[in-house]
Amino acid sequence: MGSGRFFGGVHPSYNKGLADSSAIVEMPLPERLVVFFAQNLGVPSQPVVKKGDEVKKGQVIAEAGGFVSTPVHAPTSGTIGSIDIYPSPVGVDAPAAVLVPDGKDEWFEGCNVERSSEGLGVKKIKEMIHDKGIVGMGGATFPTHVKLSPLAEKKMDLLVINGAECEPYLTADHRLMVEHAEGIRDGASLFATVIGVRNVVVAIEKNKPDAIEVMCKAVVGCQGFSVEAMDVIYPQGAEKQLIYTLTKRKVPAGGLPMDVGVLVQNVGTALAAYEAVRYNRPLIQRVVTVTGSGIREPKNVLARVGTRFEDLVKFCGGLEGDAAKCINGGPMMGVAQYSLDAAVTKGTSGLVILRQEEVTQFVSDACIRCARCLEVCPMKLNPSALSIFIEKMRFEDANEYNVMDCIECGCCAYVCPSRRPMVHHFRRAKAEVRKLQRKTG
Amino acid sequence: MARKDLEVLLEDNMEGKTPEEKPAAEPTHEKPAPRPGPRPKKAEVGPRFVVSSSPHMHDGRTVSQIMRFVIIALAPAALYSIYIFGLDALRVILISTASAMIFEAISQKIMKRPVALRDSSAALTGLLLAMNLPSTSPWWLIVVGNFFAIVIAKQLYGGLGYNPFNPALVGRVVLLISFPVHMTARWVTASRFGTDAVTTATPLSQMKESLATLGHIDIAFGREEIFDLLIGNRAGCLGETSVILLALGGLFLIWKRVISWRIPVMFIGAVWAMTGIFHLFDPAHYIDPSFHVITGGLFIGAIFMATDYVTSPVTKKGMLIFGAGCGIITVLIRLWGAYPEGVSFAILLMNAATPLIDRYTKPRVFGAVDTKAAA
Amino acid sequence: MLTAVIALAALALLAAFGLAIAARVFAVPHNPKADEIEEVLPGANCGACALPGCAELARRIAEGKADIDACPVGGESAAHTIAAIMGMEFEGGAEREVALVLCKGSDQVAAKRFFYNGIYDCNSAVLVFGGDKACTYGCLGLGTCAGVCLFGAIDMVPGGLAVVDPEKCTGCAQCVAACPKGIIKMVPASRKLHILCSSHDKGGVARKHCKVACIGCMKCVKAAPEGAITMDNFLAVVDYSFEIPAEVAAECPMNTIIVTGDAAGACEEPAAAAGGDA
Ligand code: SF4
Ligand code: SF4
Ligand code: SF4
Ligand code: SF4
């Protein structure tokens, strides 16, 4: 298993120094929390509380809406103030419960009790991971129990714990590895047990030497565990690229990592799963890197799910005057917010605030066919041709040129000298292609 | 009329307020962003943030930066041409660059496109065309060439990014066909300042000449001649002369990642290999391949013209094919064509094939190949 | 030089000859009626008839497989001529419909939530939070509809709002399909009173987002004939089967209702409606 290198990629300025040495700080309870009911990719969860209900910390407030769904828990004890539509940090406005904390922060019965994770069956572990609402915390928020249930015919042989954190600015996973290496390791062994693999690789980019060191120490004596230091290149942490770097296996286009026998889990997810199984703690808080030049005191904040961005920003010293862009997630793949009314969800890895002079303006100039985008596209697409097709609304052609395989990593737009809104084009095309496919059945 | 009514109503709505031209929080940029609309003055919900699709970072490179890099890379050769051809060369360069920019501005105005002189692409086209003209070119020749290059070959097709043919080359070829005398018959050898200019022929036409009159090649090609050719001590267009300086410019561009090595290397390599094969079999009629490589417009063509972004393929394989194709056609024209030099025609022909090449060299998407995983 | 010209000319002649032969050889038997009908059709190939082009529709009409008034663009006059060609009677079909953008919130009156930076296209803009307008129902003003209208009937007024010119509109409904906000409706061309709002927001919210939004005060509902204007989830909606007197427009406190001139463009009704607006 050597450190290979995937095709393409870029080297953005990482700016991780803003927050990578500041330890995780827990944020005091804000005055109110806005907890979205849809916290995972897939089927949204079904609310089971109504206005005025008293809830305890860790109590279920929304139940899983199907298999690809997870329950949502109250992040603290308090009263449900209202249920309404709020600006969701990932796109469209969505229903959420406003929770007014009572300040006691009382756990729901049975939560937060230590118990042994020894000898638990696979089924039991998966059930606990599901019940405690664990989802992929790298940003995708895909329900973890689903990922832990690969099709029986796929022979799994490797678990990758993704600590690449290749997104610029973000340092949440980095700090997590430095401060909670053992928990991550134990979470990883839970996952390994569930899918029945022996080899576990913790993959970390070389720009986090302290994390590599701590992780190496933590896995000493653990059979099958290893830590892999990887080259620093974006998008090293994208699943398909990560797997290729570590194993030279190519996840088939349109396929999943399990097609090549690999499961990838984020470090945060591993820790959350460990806490869920060991302490019966639901996923109600996470580390959010609040950073960027637009914020006064960049920090890694342990925030409750539902913490409004407004409160997060306040906790970090407030905005600089000319803060002009606020991004949920990293600057390469994150979602720009239009207001600070949105709130932390299980997938919020960071809040990056950029000042005016750092905001890139897309201008939709003509493609000069410089081919830079082809050089960097890790999926080996032809973004230039794609964007030109899409501009002409030729979505079938875009489909033929594999627009559906685009991982929206943003490398192409990052290098495009014409500042074309490439990823925006591809999102559009994907929506249109899906429409076409639905039409033709 | 109904629409008028509505417009009047809309004006009513404005209540005499004219919207601000630019919202206060709109980040400035060289070019106007696609309408981040005017900020409503008394709106209660005022926008605060810029919202766009990801990514939110950029490596900072711009089109004008790229164009400037190319101009910088051309500069040594251009300066050297002034050194050897004297002020005449400077005159050609100045007239050409200026007229290119003027044509660009005028046609953008007329076609109601934003005037984008700052992207330097017109200046580059003008410079490139100048490098492809003899130092004896009269001013009107230069202007006509630039007219074809900028107005016909570029702006009429839709401007930068839409032109199928390399504008500078279109300019040159139009001149070559329409004014062959001015373009090919009046060469001066390198004169330096002060010494007399002698009217002479380019090495390539000397070669053709001797082939035609004597039936075999009879020109000196020894160490001295090679040295002269390399440093550019010879007759030719401004930019054809100094192979070394052009190569340096090319290396600079490759180092700056402005161009890829593929097209120039394949182009020059194909010319060398093909003429080499002929030379091996019949040295009396086919001259040493090195002669072909370092004479004529091959270097400037391969490094600066064939690599023009808009008109060359974007795929890696495509670039290789494109370069090789240019080389092969060049040799065909040089050896059997009517013209002594074939670089321009070769590139233009391959320009025409570019969309096709791109289509057939579509990169294979990552993971499309196989599932033969199993470690 | 000369040889080249001659060679090229010869090549062109050859190609032309080849084409001529090909046209003979591959000619499709033509229905003369179809040709005549095609002459009458607008020739815009707009797709409003849901067929690939005017020629196709002409063929179908000639073969009796399509109605003589199947082309909404050609409208009644085309139908009459086609009827004559086909030797049929045309009794007049449904009333002419034109497109109407149900939004009046240009940038001067409607607030924005953020500064949109991206593709200048409505369908793309909706992908980021549904567009930059504070009102999530309103026109994004990026002109996608104007782009698809083959007849140049949609103008983008300054400040970002699409406005249909009923005189140019042929009723092909391409714009209706193109608008991601679904705010373009086909309305009878003869109707003059329109409520130009699509916002289902509650009054207070709607008012905050846009100065000309329907706030659901129901004044127009009361003033109009019973059932002619109904409330649909905080939005007043016109039922175009009713004739609504122009005075109703004056009731609206938000200036949302407009009365247009003779929208049908049949110029029988001069100036009557012009003063309708308060
Ligand atoms: S966003 Fe899509 S097309 Fe662009 S570089 Fe990434 S994978 Fe390639
Ligand atoms: S990077 Fe931009 S300008 Fe260059 S080929 Fe790609 S889309 Fe075109
Ligand atoms: S009516 Fe619809 S398509 Fe037309 S500009 Fe408005 S939002 Fe865009
Ligand atoms: S406005 Fe709409 S319905 Fe009218 S002609 Fe244009 S596209 Fe067709």
Side-chain angles (χ1 to χ4, degrees):
Chain A
M1 224 179 286
S3 254
R5 194 175 170 294
F6 60 90
F7 176 87
V10 293
H11 296 278
S13 43
Y14 285 93
N15 296 321
K16 295 206 187 233
L18 286 171
D20 67 355
S21 52
S22 62
I24 299 169
V25 277
E26 185 166 359
M27 184 176 153
L29 275 175
E31 265 167 41
R32 65 195 169 105
L33 295 160
V34 178
V35 188
F36 287 95
F37 291 129
Q39 293 268 1
N40 58 263
L41 208 71
V43 189
S45 318
Q46 294 306 315
V48 290
V49 288
K50 53 185 191 312
K51 189 176 164 178
D53 280 2
E54 297 272 338
V55 291
K56 288 271 158 59
K57 182 177 178 180
Q59 187 178 339
V60 174
I61 59 171
E63 267 168 3
F67 176 61
V68 190
S69 184
T70 51
V72 178
H73 305 80
T76 183
S77 59
T79 328
I80 304 288
S82 66
I83 291 175
D84 212 340
I85 306 287
Y86 281 87
S88 138
V90 291
V92 272
D93 299 356
V98 175
L99 178 61
V100 183
D102 57 11
K104 290 186 225 140
D105 213 17
E106 261 176 326
W107 279 100
F108 187 61
E109 227 181 284
C111 286
N112 201 29
V113 253
E114 188 165 350
R115 57 186 178 186
S116 167
S117 58
E118 296 291 312
L120 285 174
V122 168
K123 227 180 126 210
K124 183 74 189 151
I125 298 177
K126 257 204 282 194
E127 200 181 292
M128 284 163 124
I129 286 174
H130 168 262
D131 289 348
K132 295 298 153 210
I134 311 296
V135 299
M137 290 170 76
T141 65
F142 193 73
T144 302
H145 67 276
V146 182
K147 257 184 146 183
L148 287 175
S149 319
L151 298 177
E153 71 264 22
K154 307 279 178 200
K155 232 182 79 34
M156 307 297 287
D157 65 356
L158 179 68
L159 169 69
V160 177
I161 298 298
N162 186 354
E165 198 163 52
C166 57
E167 271 275 4
Y169 287 93
L170 302 189
T171 52
D173 289 353
H174 180 179
R175 291 311 304 178
L176 218 52
M177 286 186 284
V178 171
E179 294 174 34
H180 298 275
E182 279 82 15
I184 293 169
R185 177 201 59 203
D186 294 345
S189 20
L190 282 175
F191 291 151
T193 320
V194 172
I195 56 164
V197 301
R198 284 221 194 85
N199 291 328
V200 181
V201 178
V202 184
I204 308 172
E205 276 193 346
K206 280 183 189 144
N207 59 0
K208 300 178 250 303
D210 48 344
I212 296 175
E213 204 189 306
V214 179
M215 261 343 279
C216 278
K217 268 194 211 130
V219 302
V220 166
C222 295
Q223 188 85 67
F225 272 70
S226 63
V227 176
E228 195 77 43
M230 298 181 300
D231 287 344
V232 183
I233 184 167
Y234 176 88
Q236 187 68 274
E239 275 189 349
K240 293 183 177 185
Q241 277 65 33
L242 183 66
I243 292 171
Y244 184 75
T245 301
L246 294 172
T247 67
K248 288 276 180 308
R249 297 178 201 171
K250 289 182 180 169
V251 178
L256 291 170
M258 69 171 171
D259 293 330
V260 291
V262 183
L263 173 71
V264 181
Q265 288 289 0
N266 171 268
V267 285
T269 320
L271 183 63
Y274 167 70
E275 293 189 338
V277 175
R278 191 69 206 278
Y279 300 103
N280 206 15
R281 253 184 236 156
L283 178 46
I284 53 166
Q285 58 185 10
R286 66 156 301 144
V287 180
V288 182
T289 310
V290 185
T291 181
S293 58
I295 194 100
R296 293 234 168 79
E297 302 156 21
K299 278 183 187 147
N300 295 298
V301 183
L302 181 63
R304 302 292 164 103
V305 166
T307 308
R308 286 164 63 245
F309 289 163
E310 184 89 57
D311 297 323
L312 260 184
V313 164
K314 237 181 257 158
F315 180 64
C316 295
L319 295 181
E320 291 288 350
D322 57 350
K325 202 170 210 177
C326 165
I327 305 152
N328 165 34
M332 291 302 282
M333 288 180 80
V335 183
Q337 303 294 301
Y338 68 85
S339 83
L340 292 175
D341 286 335
V344 173
T345 65
K346 291 175 184 176
T348 308
S349 47
L351 191 65
V352 179
I353 301 190
L354 300 179
R355 293 163 75 152
Q356 228 176 87
E357 71 262 21
E358 293 165 319
V359 174
T360 322
Q361 290 273 311
F362 293 112
V363 291
S364 296
D365 274 349
C367 168
I368 58 163
R369 298 170 43 84
C370 67
R372 301 184 88 215
C373 50
L374 279 92
E375 252 165 60
V376 297
C377 175
M379 294 308 290
K380 288 200 182 181
L381 302 178
N382 181 345
S384 155
L386 278 175
S387 67
I388 293 171
F389 284 144
I390 297 163
E391 261 174 350
K392 295 184 187 146
M393 311 243 263
R394 285 163 60 181
F395 300 113
E396 291 95 350
D397 287 315
N399 190 23
E400 206 176 292
Y401 271 62
N402 309 92
V403 70
M404 298 311 271
D405 284 309
C406 167
I407 55 171
E408 299 181 17
C409 67
C411 290
C412 48
Y414 176 77
V415 297
C416 177
S418 281
R419 315 265 161 148
R420 291 161 67 77
M422 309 292 278
V423 179
H424 199 169
H425 278 304
F426 304 150
R427 293 223 172 98
R428 163 96 204 274
K430 283 180 173 181
E432 296 287 339
V433 170
R434 270 186 222 115
K435 247 190 253 168
L436 282 175
Q437 283 168 347
R438 238 174 288 145
K439 230 186 261 168
T440 54
Chain B
M1 194 177 85
R3 193 168 59 80
K4 289 257 173 60
D5 289 350
L6 191 45
E7 270 172 19
V8 170
L9 275 171
L10 286 168
E11 269 154 36
D12 282 355
N13 292 340
M14 291 189 212
E15 288 157 26
K17 273 180 290 181
T18 34
E20 278 172 64
E21 267 303 290
K22 274 200 166 190
E26 189 216 334
T28 49
H29 185 272
E30 286 192 1
K31 290 189 182 157
R35 201 189 72 90
R39 173 179 234 162
K41 251 187 188 161
K42 280 187 201 156
E44 282 154 75
V45 210
R48 170 171 201 188
F49 293 123
V50 180
V51 174
S52 64
S53 173
S54 61
H56 310 289
M57 285 177 95
H58 195 278
D59 72 352
R61 192 167 277 197
T62 58
V63 174
S64 44
Q65 211 177 42
I66 290 174
M67 298 294 169
R68 276 199 296 271
F69 274 137
V70 182
I71 293 177
I72 292 171
L74 262 178
L79 291 178
Y80 185 71
S81 75
I82 298 173
Y83 171 63
I84 54 172
F85 295 116
L87 287 176
D88 247 358
L90 182 64
R91 176 188 63 99
V92 173
I93 292 174
L94 287 183
I95 295 180
S96 183
T97 320
S99 58
M101 291 171 76
I102 291 169
F103 280 130
E104 172 108 337
I106 293 176
S107 39
Q108 280 173 339
K109 267 258 155 62
I110 291 176
M111 294 178 207
K112 303 223 165 60
R113 296 196 187 111
V115 176
L117 281 181
R118 251 189 293 173
D119 73 13
S120 312
S121 65
L124 177 59
T125 304
L127 180 59
L128 274 175
L129 183 57
M131 301 296 270
N132 275 292
L133 295 175
S135 61
T136 51
S137 311
W139 67 268
W140 54 266
L141 187 82
I142 307 171
V143 173
V144 169
N146 275 297
F147 174 79
F148 276 95
I150 298 289
V151 180
I152 308 287
K154 185 174 167 194
Q155 292 297 342
L156 275 187
Y157 279 103
L160 182 66
Y162 300 106
N163 49 307
F165 297 104
N166 185 326
L169 277 182
V170 171
R172 173 183 152 88
V173 164
V174 165
L175 295 181
L176 205 57
I177 295 175
S178 324
F179 310 101
V181 179
H182 293 94
M183 288 295 288
T184 56
R186 292 207 203 149
W187 302 111
V188 284
T189 38
S191 64
R192 311 272 149 73
F193 291 97
T195 43
D196 287 333
V198 190
T199 307
T200 171
T202 62
L204 274 176
S205 44
Q206 279 170 9
M207 178 196 88
K208 269 226 155 129
E209 196 91 331
S210 101
L211 207 51
T213 50
L214 304 175
H216 63 92
I217 301 238
D218 181 29
I219 56 173
F221 189 58
R223 186 170 287 167
E224 213 168 295
E225 283 78 17
I226 292 184
F227 180 75
D228 272 352
L229 283 170
L230 279 182
I231 62 161
N233 205 354
R234 55 151 155 152
C237 296
L238 300 187
E240 287 179 357
T241 52
S242 178
V243 170
I244 291 183
L245 291 180
L246 289 170
L248 276 182
L251 288 179
F252 171 76
L253 290 182
I254 293 173
W255 171 57
K256 281 285 171 201
R257 300 183 138 261
V258 172
I259 61 171
S260 108
W261 57 269
R262 292 181 181 81
I263 292 176
V265 168
M266 283 306 278
F267 196 159
I268 296 169
V271 168
W272 189 81
M274 206 168 148
T275 51
I277 292 171
F278 283 107
H279 177 68
L280 266 187
F281 284 105
D282 187 2
H285 288 97
Y286 301 103
I287 201 167
D288 194 296
S290 313
F291 176 82
H292 275 285
V293 167
I294 57 182
T295 52
L298 182 61
F299 264 69
I300 190 165
I303 296 171
F304 291 96
M305 318 290 275
T307 54
D308 171 47
Y309 285 153
V310 183
T311 55
S312 66
V314 290
T315 62
K316 288 184 178 170
K317 252 189 249 149
M319 289 180 194
L320 296 177
I321 297 173
F322 181 90
C326 285
I328 292 169
I329 299 176
T330 301
V331 174
L332 291 179
I333 296 177
R334 276 191 188 179
L335 295 185
W336 297 290
Y339 287 93
E341 175 56 308
V343 170
S344 318
F345 293 103
I347 298 175
L348 284 179
L349 278 173
M350 290 310 284
N351 283 168
T354 293
L356 217 64
I357 297 177
D358 266 345
R359 245 200 113 66
Y360 288 106
T361 55
K362 189 176 103 181
R364 268 177 117 176
V365 53
F366 176 84
V369 218
D370 52 296
T371 1
K372 55 167 196 219
Chain C
M1 211 31 194
L2 196 65
T3 41
V5 172
I6 294 172
L8 270 180
L11 205 70
L13 270 178
L14 206 70
F17 191 63
L19 274 179
I21 293 182
R24 282 285 149 90
V25 174
F26 299 110
V28 215
H30 249 287
N31 186 336
K33 267 190 191 164
D35 290 347
E36 263 182 83
I37 295 173
E38 201 185 331
E39 288 287 300
V40 179
L41 293 176
N45 296 324
C46 68
C49 53
L51 290 175
C54 296
E56 180 64 16
L57 178 64
R59 197 178 61 79
R60 299 221 183 168
I61 296 177
E63 289 169 8
K65 286 182 194 152
D67 292 335
I68 46 174
D69 58 348
C71 173
V73 178
E76 254 176 80
S77 67
H80 275 297
T81 330
I82 295 173
I85 296 169
M86 296 290 292
M88 292 159 77
E89 235 4 82
F90 178 66
E91 299 95 21
E95 201 192 337
R96 191 172 89 94
E97 290 202 323
V98 291
L100 179 73
V101 180
L102 290 179
C103 177
K104 204 185 170 200
S106 61
D107 287 351
Q108 292 83 14
V109 289
K112 300 239 164 191
R113 297 192 282 181
F114 53 82
F115 300 110
Y116 171 66
N117 173 228
I119 305 168
Y120 200 92
D121 164 69
C122 303
N123 279 299
S124 304
V126 284
L127 294 179
V128 281
F129 293 98
D132 58 355
K133 269 221 163 87
C135 166
T136 52
Y137 300 91
C139 172
L140 299 176
L142 300 181
T144 295
C145 49
V148 300
C149 179
L150 289 166
F151 307 95
I154 303 185
D155 285 282
M156 302 306 300
V157 303
L161 184 69
V163 179
V164 178
D165 181 346
E167 278 170 33
K168 285 197 202 148
C169 175
T170 60
C172 72
Q174 294 292 313
C175 53
V176 176
C179 175
K181 289 288 183 184
I183 55 171
I184 310 185
K185 293 262 147 55
M186 301 308 292
V187 301
S190 60
R191 293 289 185 254
K192 285 159 257 149
L193 182 137
H194 308 290
I195 300 180
L196 290 191
C197 182
S198 301
S199 165
H200 292 286
D201 281 333
K202 286 180 196 146
V205 180
R207 191 198 296 268
K208 215 158 97 183
H209 290 163
C210 173
K211 289 200 193 111
V212 291
C214 168
I215 51 169
C217 66
M218 308 212 10
K219 284 198 174 124
C220 56
V221 177
K222 285 170 203 145
E226 181 79 31
I229 299 180
T230 48
M231 292 308 292
D232 170 21
N233 203 1
F234 306 105
L235 175 65
V237 182
V238 173
D239 181 341
Y240 284 100
S241 57
F242 288 84
E243 175 84 56
I244 303 172
E247 295 76 55
V248 173
E251 294 292 321
C252 178
M254 297 299 285
N255 203 6
T256 313
I257 308 183
I258 63 154
V259 176
T260 61
D262 185 22
C267 39
E268 295 145 4
E269 226 177 315
D277 181 60

